[in-house]
Amino acid sequence: MRKIASVATVFAIVLLVGCGNSANNNANVTPTATTGTTNNAGTTNTPNNTTDAVTSASVVDNEEAFKKAISADGTWIAATLKDLTFTEDLVLDGQFTNKDEPARKIALYTQDAEHNITNSYKLTAPKITIKSKNARIQGGTFVGDVYVEAEGFSLVNATVEGNVYFSDAKYQSTFDTSDQGKVTGVTEVKK
């Protein structure tokens, strides 16, 4: 029975990463032709050791793999399979694209074949700094404060149990919670 549950979870994650939900503006990932190997964070290393940051996704179940996935050398999607807790601050960094547009996503959920969320997860840290353009936290809860240093940050069917601070008013003006996003604390510019 446990094998069936594991296979079902992997299937759900593949659908999460590959299919997306048009209602939540998830986008399909179109692979590019590369030759190389895939490392533990889910990125493809080409023979000259460059990273294919356009098409890679990372599904993780531990803190170290998650930190790598959200780094500048990580992947455009960082999806977790369980609650993760950090005692240190996190940074979502690097510029990635999806469908030729800047994009970055922290997926705190799994979904079934019909795109219904089957599990939502909590990501806990003292703070996370968002440095990637058009980044979003989707489908779960971030516990801590969010510091935004890039345009286009959004919460999609997600909650921040804490504050959201913007380093500049122009970043606050592009913040979006219209798709079931929620912040329990303040949202303000804090330099």
Side-chain angles (χ1 to χ4, degrees):
M1 188 69 178
R2 189 174 180 110
K3 277 188 175 181
I4 292 171
S6 295
V7 169
T9 298
V10 169
F11 179 72
I13 294 300
V14 168
L15 288 174
L16 165 75
V17 173
C19 296
N21 181 343
S22 60
N24 286 336
N25 199 21
N26 272 348
N28 293 328
V29 178
T30 307
T32 57
T34 60
T35 56
T37 59
T38 301
N39 65 23
N40 289 340
T43 58
T44 302
N45 292 328
T46 56
N48 65 0
N49 289 329
T50 60
T51 302
D52 179 5
V54 175
T55 62
S56 300
S58 185
V59 179
V60 301
D61 66 356
N62 67 74
E63 285 77 4
E64 278 306 308
F66 185 81
K67 284 194 321 190
K68 179 157 178 58
I70 65 170
S71 74
D73 296 324
T75 56
W76 89 272
I77 299 175
T80 184
L81 296 172
K82 68 177 194 172
D83 294 344
L84 297 175
T85 300
F86 296 85
T87 57
E88 75 269 18
D89 296 342
L90 300 174
V91 178
L92 181 69
D93 200 2
Q95 299 308 315
F96 295 79
T97 60
N98 181 45
K99 292 190 174 184
D100 298 322
E101 294 291 329
R104 201 78 194 269
K105 179 165 76 170
I106 295 175
L108 302 176
Y109 66 100
T110 55
Q111 66 183 14
D112 63 18
E114 287 80 37
H115 307 291
N116 299 307
I117 292 178
T118 55
N119 290 302
S120 291
Y121 303 106
K122 279 190 177 183
L123 173 61
T124 303
K127 83 175 188 181
I128 186 168
T129 301
I130 306 295
K131 294 185 175 188
S132 298
K133 186 175 182 179
N134 294 340
R136 65 181 163 184
I137 297 174
Q138 185 169 336
T141 302
F142 177 75
V143 180
D145 290 335
V146 178
Y147 288 75
V148 181
E149 299 178 2
E151 293 177 350
F153 176 62
S154 62
L155 298 174
V156 178
N157 194 19
T159 299
V160 170
E161 290 182 4
N163 304 307
V164 178
Y165 297 113
F166 302 89
S167 64
D168 193 293
K170 69 182 178 182
Y171 302 141
Q172 185 178 21
S173 71
T174 62
F175 178 51
D176 184 12
T177 59
S178 64
D179 193 358
Q180 302 175 51
K182 181 180 175 185
V183 178
T184 63
V186 300
T187 57
E188 63 187 20
V189 175
K190 182 178 181 180
K191 296 186 181 199

